């Protein structure tokens, strides 16, 4: 039986798209739900293109009810994948899915992590620090931003002439290359 994946995303969803492409027709796993806290997120259109249902929720539903947990339970979700999801995951989800929630961060953690460090904020910080390298970190999610156990890291060289767009591009190339493969490897290790 295929493992079942839920994706949480807040924005454009380019990583979600790569995951949808990767698992379309897979015998290992399927993406059965996309959840978002942003009713205007482009990830909704991407999910629709793959005929994957979407659940839009607000802060109250996420933090003060069991509805999301019940929804994931009802769908038999095996793994939660965060793809540009900006809210801290509540304790009830972490408790129900220990080492089954993963995230991708656009920097080599532990540098440039924590609350408020996402998207361009991370890239601006990397540029301001004159780092010679940028990169990505794929990690398990715990109760704190970007502090879960690392699963995978990859780096790219930052040239002195690189601007924000170049750094974003290099990072996104690594994300799109590695995230689907790492998610698949984790899926294969989950107990039947």
């Amino acid at each position: 039986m295929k493992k079942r994946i839920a994706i949480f995303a807040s924005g454009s969803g380019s990583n979600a798209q790569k995951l949808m492409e990767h698992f379309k027709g897979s015998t290992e796993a399927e993406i059965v739900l996309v959840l978002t806290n942003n009713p205007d997120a482009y990830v909704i259109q991407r999910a629709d293109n793959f005929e994957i249902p979407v659940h839009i929720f607000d802060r109250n539903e996420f933090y003060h009810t069991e509805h999301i947990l019940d929804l994931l339970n009802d769908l038999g979700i095996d793994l939660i994948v965060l793809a540009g999801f900006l809210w801290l995951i509540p304790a009830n989800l972490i408790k129900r899915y220990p080492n089954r929630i993963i995230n991708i961060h656009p920097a080599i953690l532990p540098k440039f992590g924590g609350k408020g460090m996402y998207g361009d904020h991370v890239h601006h910080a990397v540029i301001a620090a004159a780092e010679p390298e940028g990169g990505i970190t794929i990690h398990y999610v715990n109760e704190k931003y970007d502090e879960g156990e690392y699963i995978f890291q990859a780096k790219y060289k930052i040239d002195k002439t690189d601007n924000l767009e170049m750094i974003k591009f290099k990072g996104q190339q690594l994300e799109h290359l590695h995230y689907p493969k790492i998610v698949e490897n984790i899926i294969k290790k989950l107990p039947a």
Side-chain angles (χ1 to χ4, degrees):
M1 200 154 123
K2 289 185 187 182
K3 298 286 191 241
R4 296 165 71 81
I5 300 170
I7 296 176
F8 281 76
S10 295
S12 157
S14 68
N15 275 311
Q17 167 104 21
K18 292 297 179 189
L19 290 160
M20 292 174 208
E21 290 169 2
H22 186 84
F23 287 103
K24 186 177 170 66
S26 166
T27 55
E28 298 285 334
E30 60 185 331
I31 296 164
V32 297
L33 183 65
V34 171
L35 301 100
T36 184
N37 58 324
N38 178 0
D40 300 319
Y42 189 65
V43 74
I44 296 167
Q45 181 62 53
R46 293 183 195 265
D48 191 49
N49 293 343
F50 283 84
E51 298 180 346
I52 296 170
V54 174
H55 179 76
I56 302 168
F57 57 89
D58 61 18
R59 195 167 282 279
N60 182 63
E61 182 183 359
F62 195 52
Y63 290 111
H64 302 293
T65 76
E66 295 287 310
H67 186 249
I68 301 290
L69 189 59
D70 293 342
L71 182 61
L72 298 172
N73 282 334
D74 290 347
L75 289 171
I77 297 300
D78 296 293
L79 186 70
I80 296 170
V81 179
L82 309 185
F85 184 68
L86 302 182
W87 289 359
L88 196 63
I89 300 299
N92 66 340
L93 281 182
I94 290 169
K95 189 174 172 188
R96 171 64 180 83
Y97 290 94
N99 291 324
R100 288 185 182 231
I101 306 174
I102 60 173
N103 183 42
I104 190 161
H105 185 77
I108 298 291
L109 292 172
K111 281 186 174 179
F112 311 110
K115 186 171 173 56
M117 292 304 279
Y118 60 89
D120 287 357
H121 299 287
V122 173
H123 302 304
H124 284 301
V126 168
I127 292 168
E131 290 289 319
E133 296 179 314
I136 63 166
T137 302
I138 298 168
H139 64 92
Y140 289 107
V141 173
N142 64 15
E143 297 84 4
K144 296 185 178 158
Y145 284 110
D146 305 323
E147 291 189 18
E149 178 190 347
Y150 304 158
I151 300 165
F152 176 84
Q153 293 185 310
K155 295 178 181 176
Y156 59 84
K157 186 175 177 295
I158 297 176
D159 298 315
K160 294 205 183 318
T161 56
D162 283 353
N163 62 13
L164 177 68
E165 292 307 313
M166 279 305 302
I167 287 173
K168 278 168 65 169
F169 176 77
K170 288 178 178 182
Q172 215 166 38
Q173 294 294 101
L174 285 182
E175 291 176 12
H176 294 170
L177 176 67
H178 294 291
Y179 207 22
K181 293 176 189 170
I182 298 297
V183 169
E184 185 172 356
N185 288 344
I186 290 167
I187 283 285
K188 287 178 177 175
K189 292 176 189 167
L190 292 177

